[in-house]
Amino acid sequence: DAMVIQNPRYQVTQFGKPVTLSCSQTLNHNVMYWYQQKSSQAPKLLFHYYDKDFNNEADTPDNFQSRRPNTSFCFLDIRSPGLGDAAMYLCATSRDGRGVQQPQHFGDGTRLSIL
Amino acid sequence: SQKIEQNSEALNIQEGKTATLTCNYTNYSPAYLQWYRQDPGRGPVFLLLIRENEKEKRKERLKVTFDTTLKQSLFHITASQPADSATYLCALGGTGRRALTFGSGTRLQVQP
C-alpha cells in the first residue's frame, strides 16, 4: 500500500544534541510537509517542499532545518533541541492540485523526547 | 490573526446517536475546509473536503456543512459507533495555498 513512513516512531535525545527525523513516501506526491504537534494542540506547520522548492513558515525557529534529497525522502533536522521542542513531529504529503487544494496524507509521526 | 475554534471539551454520546462537531473560524476567508480524524499516537487521516461554494458534502455516515456567512463548519457522524471514538480536526486552506491551518480538534467518545 502506498504510504508515508516516519522513522523512528520514538526518539530520545539530549538537550542541545542535534537530531534528525526521517520521512519517506511511496505516493509520489510532489509536496511534503513537516508539522509539530504538542499534546492536545493543533498540528503547527513548520515548512513544506513543493518539489525542491523550500517554503518556510514565518514563525518557524531557525533551530529547525529540512532537507529533501529526492521526491521520496524528507528530513527534519533540529540543530540544538531545547525542552520546548519535545513534541510529536508529523510528516505529510499531497499532490499538487494546481491551485485546487488536495487532501494531505500523514505518517504516524515521531514522538521526540528531550532529556 | 486567524483563529480556528473547536470545542476543547470532549463530546460524549451514546452509540447509535448522531455526533455533531463544530468548527468556527475568524479573520479568515477559506476557500476549502477539510476534516481529519486522529487516533492517539497516530497521524491525522483525511475524511472530507468541502469547498466554499458547497453547502454540504456527504460520505457514507459522514456529513459536513460549510457556512461562510456564519464562518462555521459542522461535522456530523450518524449512527455513531464506539469505533468512531477519536479526535476530529478541522483544517482551513486558501485558494492557491497548499498549506492548511489546523484547529486543535474535538475528542469524540462514543459509549456502547
Side-chain angles (χ1 to χ4, degrees):
Chain A
D1 283 343
M3 56 177 56
V4 181
I5 300 168
Q6 292 189 245
N7 284 308
R9 290 296 312 278
Y10 302 92
Q11 175 75 55
V12 180
T13 191
Q14 291 179 334
F15 182 93
K17 185 174 181 181
V19 66
T20 294
L21 309 182
S22 302
C23 177
S24 65
Q25 56 130 341
T26 59
L27 295 160
N28 204 32
H29 286 167
N30 53 351
V31 191
M32 293 187 79
Y33 310 81
W34 279 105
Y35 290 87
Q36 178 192 66
Q37 187 178 29
K38 297 186 177 179
S39 182
S40 300
Q41 294 186 21
K44 180 180 180 298
L45 182 66
L46 297 173
F47 24 61
H48 76 276
Y49 275 94
Y50 174 64
D51 291 328
K52 287 190 177 294
D53 292 336
F54 178 70
N55 299 268
N56 200 25
E57 293 299 298
D59 57 355
T60 299
D62 292 340
N63 199 26
F64 292 87
Q65 305 283 317
S66 185
R67 295 169 284 134
R68 189 180 185 185
N70 54 52
T71 300
S72 301
F73 287 88
C74 198
F75 300 97
L76 170 62
D77 301 308
I78 308 177
R79 293 193 295 188
S80 182
L83 296 178
D85 297 327
M88 173 80 90
Y89 289 88
L90 295 163
C91 173
T93 72
S94 69
R95 64 179 180 88
D96 180 30
R98 299 187 183 180
V100 178
Q101 198 162 70
Q102 300 298 315
Q104 294 188 10
H105 300 258
F106 284 82
D108 279 335
T110 294
R111 170 78 61 189
L112 179 66
S113 299
I114 315 293
L115 298 180
Chain B
S1 61
Q2 298 168 358
K3 194 173 180 183
I4 301 172
E5 289 184 355
Q6 294 187 258
N7 196 341
S8 58
E9 289 185 20
L11 177 64
N12 290 287
I13 65 167
Q14 211 64 29
E15 183 175 7
K17 300 291 186 184
T18 296
T20 299
L21 306 173
T22 305
C23 175
N24 295 300
Y25 58 92
T26 54
N27 297 324
Y28 205 145
S29 296
Y32 305 90
L33 193 147
Q34 302 186 21
W35 282 88
Y36 288 78
R37 168 185 174 141
Q38 188 172 26
D39 290 288
R42 307 293 298 272
V45 175
F46 171 76
L47 296 174
L48 282 167
L49 180 153
I50 187 166
R51 296 174 173 78
E52 61 178 337
N53 60 352
E54 297 174 318
K55 297 293 184 190
E56 183 179 297
K57 203 82 168 276
R58 291 176 185 261
K59 180 183 175 183
E60 298 171 354
R61 294 185 296 113
L62 309 180
K63 185 178 86 170
V64 171
T65 62
F66 192 6
D67 189 325
T68 55
T69 301
L70 291 179
K71 293 186 180 296
Q72 181 182 78
S73 174
L74 298 179
F75 177 79
H76 306 272
I77 306 175
T78 58
S80 59
Q81 305 165 1
D84 295 326
S85 299
T87 295
Y88 291 86
L89 305 166
C90 72
L92 277 58
T95 302
R97 175 171 161 79
R98 300 176 204 98
L100 292 171
T101 303
F102 279 85
S104 55
T106 298
R107 190 163 63 88
L108 173 67
Q109 189 71 37
V110 181
Q111 307 291 344

